[in-house]
Every structure is written in C-alpha cells, then in structure tokens.
Amino acid sequence: MKIMRVEKTLVSTNRIEAFGHRPLLVVQEKVGGARSVAVDAVGCVPGDWVICVGSSAAREAAGSKDFPSDLTIVGIIDHWSPEGG
Amino acid sequence: MKIMRVEKTLVSTNRIEAFGHRPLLVVQEKVGGARSVAVDAVGCVPGDWVICVGSSAAREAAGSKDFPSDLTIVGIIDHWSPEGG
Amino acid sequence: MKIMRVEKTLVSTNRIEAFGHRPLLVVQEKVGGARSVAVDAVGCVPGDWVICVGSSAAREAAGSKDFPSDLTIVGIIDHWSPEGG
Amino acid sequence: MKIMRVEKTLVSTNRIEAFGHRPLLVVQEKVGGARSVAVDAVGCVPGDWVICVGSSAAREAAGSKDFPSDLTIVGIIDHWSPEGG
Amino acid sequence: MKIMRVEKTLVSTNRIEAFGHRPLLVVQEKVGGARSVAVDAVGCVPGDWVICVGSSAAREAAGSKDFPSDLTIVGIIDHWSPEGG
C-alpha cells in the first residue's frame, strides 16, 4: 500500500454508473507531487495522510469485486510526517 | 486512477475481436508527455481531462470481465488545470 | 495499453508448457529503448507499431484465462510516428 | 517479489474492517528510500530484510482472497546486505 | 514479460507455507541493476537470461492460482546479449 496525502475532492459529473456516489479524492505521494485519484472507503478530509491500496485489492476494498477502482483509501494514519515517517 | 488528457482517436484495423467497436483513444498524463492507449467508456473528445482506471478494474469498467483492457476512461473531470489541479 | 514497436522474435526452447506455440516477441517503447517480451495475438512483424495490453487482461487477450502472459499484442496501429503520434 | 527492509509498525485507528488485526508495517526498498506499507504474514521486526509480494498474489498471501492487500511480507531473508545481496 | 538475469538462490527459512519448496531466485534486469525475487518454474542456474512473468499471470505460471507469486521465471532465453538483444 502507498502512503498518500488527501488534497481535495474531484468533481466528475459524467462518469460511469458503477462509481455510484462514492467520493473521488485527489491524492499525492507528497505535497506538490504527482496527483492520482482514489476512492474513499473510510471518510477522510483534505490534509489527511492515508493508506491507499492498489491492484485488484482496490476493488474489494471499495465495497465489492465489481467496483471499478484501482486505488482505494483504506485507512487514515494516526500520526505521519513525510520526512521522518 | 490516473488523471489524463485525451489527445486523439487511435486507428487499428488489425486488432483482436474482443475489442469490438469500442473506441481506442491516445491519452497523455500531461501535454507532450508519454502516450498510452485507453478504452473510452464515457464518450469523451480530444482535449478532455479524464479519469483512467487501470489494473484488473479496467476490464469491468470497459463493459465486462472479459474485455481485454488495462486502461479505461471512467469519467470526465468537470474542471481541471494541470498545474493547480 | 502501451504503444510499442516490434523488434524481433525471441527464442526460448526451455519454457513452460502453458505457452504452447504462441510466438514471443521482443518489443520496445521506442527504438533503442528498454526491451520487454510480449505474446503475439494478431500476427505482426518486426517494425510494426502495436498496442500491448498488460495486467490481468493480457491473459484473456492471449487466448484464455489460463495463459500466463502479462503483456499481449492486441492490435497493429495503422499509422504511427513515435514523435507526433 | 521485492526485497525490502522493515522500518516500523504503522498505526491507523480508522481503517476498513477487512484488515482485521493484521499488523501493518512501513517498509523501504533501501535505508532512507521511499516508504510503502505492507501486511505482515510471517512475524517480522524492524530491521529485518524481507520478501514482499504484490499484485493480486498479495491478497491470498495475507490470508484469503478477500484480504485487501497489495503488498504482503511473505518471508524473512536469512542473510542480506543491500550492496552485495 | 521482462528479460532478467539470474544472480543466485535466495534463502528464506521463515516464509509462508504456500511457497512450498519452490526455489526463490534473485534476478536483475541488468548486471549490477536493482534486484527482485522470482519463483523458478523452469529450472535455471545463475547467469541464465530468463523471461519473467508478473501480474496475476505469475501465480498460474508458478503452478496454481493459489501460489503467491508476482514474478515467475517461465523460460530460459537461448541466446541473449544485454546490449544487442
């Protein structure tokens, strides 16, 4: 799993039905780093450092084997500093 | 999921039957960046910034578990600027 | 999917039975770039620019869910120039 | 599989139920390198050099096909030096 | 699939049962390059240039869908030079 920081919510009105109403969040591996999009399965807010699961496990983690996610937020880290861990 | 920009349609006359008539699009992570090919599941046009899902989720997102895609466009982003998100 | 160029056939006499007689081809993301090995599902020749599918979709694309491929050539691109697309 | 070094335990109080009580560990490809999070399936301690499996195999290795892991520690290496192997 | 060179056997006494007695080998993309660990399904020796399959296909290639591998050696290349292929 990757350690990432939540930046903000992503709005996509035209998207496939299978996403339902699950929130999509923009996440970064570090502040100012490259952005990815993750499905939120825990309820996090911008600024949280989170654990993101990828690969086929992201589907199940998002709620079901049919959910089309390749990156799902599965936990909020209690304490994290990007330098020292 | 990755945030990518649609560049154009890709023409491949000789391709496996399993692709059917689904459009194949050339996408880039940024203007002028490396190119990938994605299956379009939402109906987008060149210039759109889109959400692309990879891994095994790309198959289901393209229509069925048997669809041979590893990168499928699953949503169009309402507003996106590559610098500020 | 990735856009790659076919370099040549790869000969591997000692290989697992599951590959059968499917041809294995050396492919590159650009001329002189790093080499990978792909299973050919369309019938291509050295010099062709092709679409390669990875992830779990590569198995199905190679003929069946049991085929042990993680990179399968699924289409030949009609016209491609590595600079301009 | 990747060769990684265990740095420490990661505490995430708010995480999805599917993780159960499996320990989550911070791992690095080298001392001071980028950090990932792995599920421990063998019982290792900080400082151990370990074998981590990714992709869909990480789920099964963590205990069941439904376990949402994309990186699972599957073995402790008896002797390892990061320079000479 | 990737083209890799076998460096040596990896000894891991404390590993998950699912590995059985399958040999684990240290492989490199080039001499002196980064090291990975692969399951041997063909019977190779240090110095061999081999074809390694990843993704979910690595499980099946290692013997069964339940085998927890994400990198499996599926063939020995008859003739290979890292510069010219």
Side-chain angles (χ1 to χ4, degrees), chain E:
Chain E
M1 285 65 70
K2 287 182 180 171
I3 296 166
M4 304 193 88
R5 186 176 168 278
V6 177
E7 191 193 4
K8 59 176 177 180
T9 301
L10 185 69
V11 181
S12 167
T13 309
N14 182 356
R15 58 182 185 173
I16 62 172
E17 276 187 35
F19 272 141
H21 292 93
R22 280 275 191 193
L24 298 177
L25 299 178
V26 180
V27 292
Q28 296 172 295
E29 291 204 38
K30 57 181 179 180
V31 178
R35 291 179 175 94
S36 300
V37 179
V39 172
D40 183 8
V42 291
C44 49
V45 297
D48 282 346
W49 284 94
V50 294
I51 304 166
C52 291
V53 72
S55 190
S56 60
R59 298 174 358 225
E60 190 92 29
S64 86
K65 277 189 181 131
D66 298 335
F67 198 97
S69 173
D70 66 359
L71 194 67
T72 302
I73 299 171
V74 290
I76 301 172
I77 303 174
D78 287 17
H79 304 286
W80 188 256
S81 86
E83 298 79 26

Side-chain angles (χ1 to χ4, degrees), chain A residues 10-16, chain B residues 75-78:
Chain A
L10 185 69
V11 181
S12 166
T13 309
N14 183 355
R15 58 182 186 175
I16 61 171
Chain B
I76 301 173
I77 304 175
D78 286 18

